[in-house]
Amino acid sequence: MTTTPPHHTATGLPRADYDRLPDVRRALAARAAAHDRDATFPTEGFALVHEAGLLTATVGTRHGGPGAGLADTVRILHALGAGDPAVALITAMTLFVHAGEARAPGWPPVAYAGLLAASARRPALVNALRVEPELGSPVRGGLPATTARRDGEDWLLTGRKIYSTGAVGLSHLLVFARTDEDPVRVGTFIVRAGSPGLAVEETWDHVGLRASRSDDVVLNAVRVPGGDVIGLDVPGDVPGARPDTVTGAWNALGLTSLYLGVAEAARDWLVGFLHERVPTGLGAPLATLPRFQTAVGEIDTRLTGARTLLRALATAVDAGDAEAAEQAAGAKVLGTRAAIESVEQAVALTGNHGLARANPLQRHYRDVLCSRVHTPQDDAVLASAGKAALARRTTPTP
């Protein structure tokens, strides 16, 4: 007779244990500086996240998973972001994949069952590889250069993906590609790690999120079983690159929460520094000065407001509020600006101390700047919001 371990679901997945978030955050933070310095992949961090059931928290209940919603995901990513944002970012991508499958099944059943089986045994990381040297991000339009051609019942993929976050540690790579057919079709091809013809080139040399190892992935006639494709029925003139509103809300609110975690880690370091720093001429900690008290109050208020907005919208999205999902992009602009401005202010308050490599504030500053690059980017969000506002033109009251 087989029994289910108490800390696992009936399908063998570890149960999501939110009570372990503080401990996981501290353990990640203890190693984050070394991984950042050496730009090394934080393998042991994913083991911790996996053991706590956080990496598979969004697996749907129909698959025997916890079925966590966006509000819980925001909570997870906030804590992990404060510990090690590289771990948080790759965890986010994996959580988003499982959440998407829970909302709207698209994976071939056998392929997804394989992913879940792997996830029961070890950290099984997944990410969608979409960005290319010529195309940039497909969210702004255009067809990928990565090409799939038929070889019997299988597909052979050839191309290059850049900024492939976590590439070296991924279990499954979801490769956005076009077919060589006429007419062209596009879809997402499920590539297993270690497939012949698949290579990771160590090109990532970034200012921030260095441990994310967002290297190039090169595909040279990588074989994919004919059925391991998601959404290939999408016509070529509508590439399917733009996410639906709910998927966009998950990306916007989840990733913004991650960077608010980074900013709050910076705030916590600042608070400790101000208590410990006792200039000779003052004879008391900097924390006793009204100027610093006001500045910390401003940072704390800014971050609290942004965090409250994100959590409220996430809860509303879980409840099916379509308007909340539409507001998520604007919340990303507000939230990432709050995070960046708060860390910038902390750097300005501490001067050379804040920029010294021995202190974590410079790392938090470099990491939080990466929040700007994620889709949707500020210019697209604000242009859309401006057009919508102008379309609501009304006659001014005399």
Side-chain angles (χ1 to χ4, degrees), residues 264-276:
E264 293 190 11
R267 177 206 59 196
D268 293 346
W269 180 85
L270 171 65
V271 168
F273 173 82
L274 294 178
H275 278 289
E276 295 166 4

Side-chain angles (χ1 to χ4, degrees), residues 13 29 41 68 81 83 106 113 128 130 171 190 218-219 242 257 302 350:
L13 295 173
F41 192 74
R130 305 171 71 82
S171 166
I190 303 171
V218 181
L219 305 105
R242 296 172 182 80
S257 183
R302 185 189 296 124
T350 54

Side-chain angles (χ1 to χ4, degrees), residues 292-314:
F292 289 102
Q293 293 168 354
T294 299
V296 171
E298 183 177 6
I299 290 171
D300 199 61
T301 300
R302 185 189 296 124
L303 294 178
T304 298
R307 185 177 67 248
T308 301
L309 172 62
L310 262 60
R311 291 182 175 179
L313 287 177

Side-chain angles (χ1 to χ4, degrees), residues 5-397:
H7 298 298
H8 291 71
T9 68
T11 54
L13 295 173
R15 295 186 184 278
D17 188 351
Y18 299 106
D19 291 338
R20 291 181 63 181
L21 275 172
D23 291 338
V24 171
R25 170 184 169 171
R26 283 191 289 270
L28 294 179
R31 299 181 176 95
H35 284 300
D36 170 80
R37 182 187 63 243
D38 302 331
T40 49
F41 192 74
T43 302
E44 77 292 332
F46 293 107
L48 292 171
V49 176
H50 168 73
E51 290 165 6
L54 304 173
L55 197 58
T56 49
T58 57
V59 173
T61 54
R62 71 165 64 91
H63 299 293
L70 181 52
D72 284 333
T73 300
V74 161
R75 177 184 175 191
I76 291 170
L77 296 179
H78 180 266
L80 300 185
D84 184 340
V87 173
L89 181 59
I90 301 166
T91 296
M93 301 309 165
T94 302
L95 290 174
F96 294 165
V97 167
H98 287 304
E101 184 64 13
R103 289 194 308 277
W107 279 60
V110 174
Y112 193 63
L115 172 60
L116 293 182
S119 300
R121 299 189 300 270
R122 62 182 185 276
L125 306 175
V126 194
N127 196 6
L129 309 188
R130 305 171 71 82
V131 185
E132 295 181 347
E134 296 83 9
L135 176 68
S137 172
V139 77
R140 294 184 183 264
L143 290 171
T146 301
T147 303
R149 64 178 177 84
R150 277 291 190 183
D151 184 54
E153 295 298 317
D154 298 339
W155 294 98
L156 296 180
L157 262 64
T158 298
R160 176 183 289 267
K161 297 295 183 180
I162 61 175
Y163 303 139
S164 303
T165 299
V168 70
L170 297 180
S171 166
H172 292 66
L173 299 78
L174 307 183
V175 179
F176 187 58
R178 64 190 294 172
T179 67
D180 65 348
E181 303 164 320
D182 184 14
V184 169
R185 293 187 292 166
V186 297
T188 299
F189 294 76
I190 303 171
V191 177
R192 272 73 170 181
S195 296
L198 178 68
V200 177
E201 291 189 2
E202 296 185 1
T203 55
W204 185 245
D205 187 15
H206 211 264
V207 170
L209 283 170
R210 290 170 50 75
S212 72
R213 295 309 318 168
S214 300
D215 294 307
D216 287 10
V217 169
V218 181
L219 305 105
N220 183 13
V222 174
R223 186 172 297 276
V224 175
D228 282 2
V229 189
I230 303 170
L232 192 57
D233 56 338
V234 179
D237 59 345
V238 184
R242 296 172 182 80
D244 62 87
T245 304
V246 174
T247 298
W250 273 72
N251 291 339
L253 299 180
L255 295 182
T256 303
S257 183
L258 181 167
Y259 289 104
L260 284 176
V262 174
E264 293 190 11
R267 177 206 59 196
D268 293 346
W269 180 85
L270 171 65
V271 168
F273 173 82
L274 294 178
H275 278 289
E276 295 166 4
R277 178 68 174 162
V278 182
T280 303
L282 179 62
L286 291 177
T288 63
L289 294 179
R291 178 171 76 89
F292 289 102
Q293 293 168 354
T294 299
V296 171
E298 183 177 6
I299 290 171
D300 199 61
T301 300
R302 185 189 296 124
L303 294 178
T304 298
R307 185 177 67 248
T308 301
L309 172 62
L310 262 60
R311 291 182 175 179
L313 287 177
T315 300
V317 170
D318 284 340
D321 187 335
E323 185 177 358
E326 292 174 353
Q327 293 172 346
K332 176 183 180 291
V333 173
L334 296 175
T336 55
R337 287 183 177 182
I340 292 171
E341 290 168 5
S342 295
V343 184
E344 284 179 338
Q345 189 172 6
V347 170
L349 287 168
T350 54
N352 280 330
H353 299 284
L355 292 176
R357 287 190 176 274
N359 294 325
L361 188 57
Q362 50 78 28
R363 171 167 50 87
H364 298 321
Y365 184 45
R366 290 185 285 106
D367 287 340
V368 81
L369 291 177
C370 296
S371 64
R372 289 187 173 129
V373 307
H374 296 293
T375 301
Q377 294 169 339
D378 287 11
D379 66 317
V381 174
L382 298 176
S384 178
K387 290 176 182 178
L390 291 169
R392 297 192 297 268
R393 178 182 179 183
T394 57
T395 302
T397 302

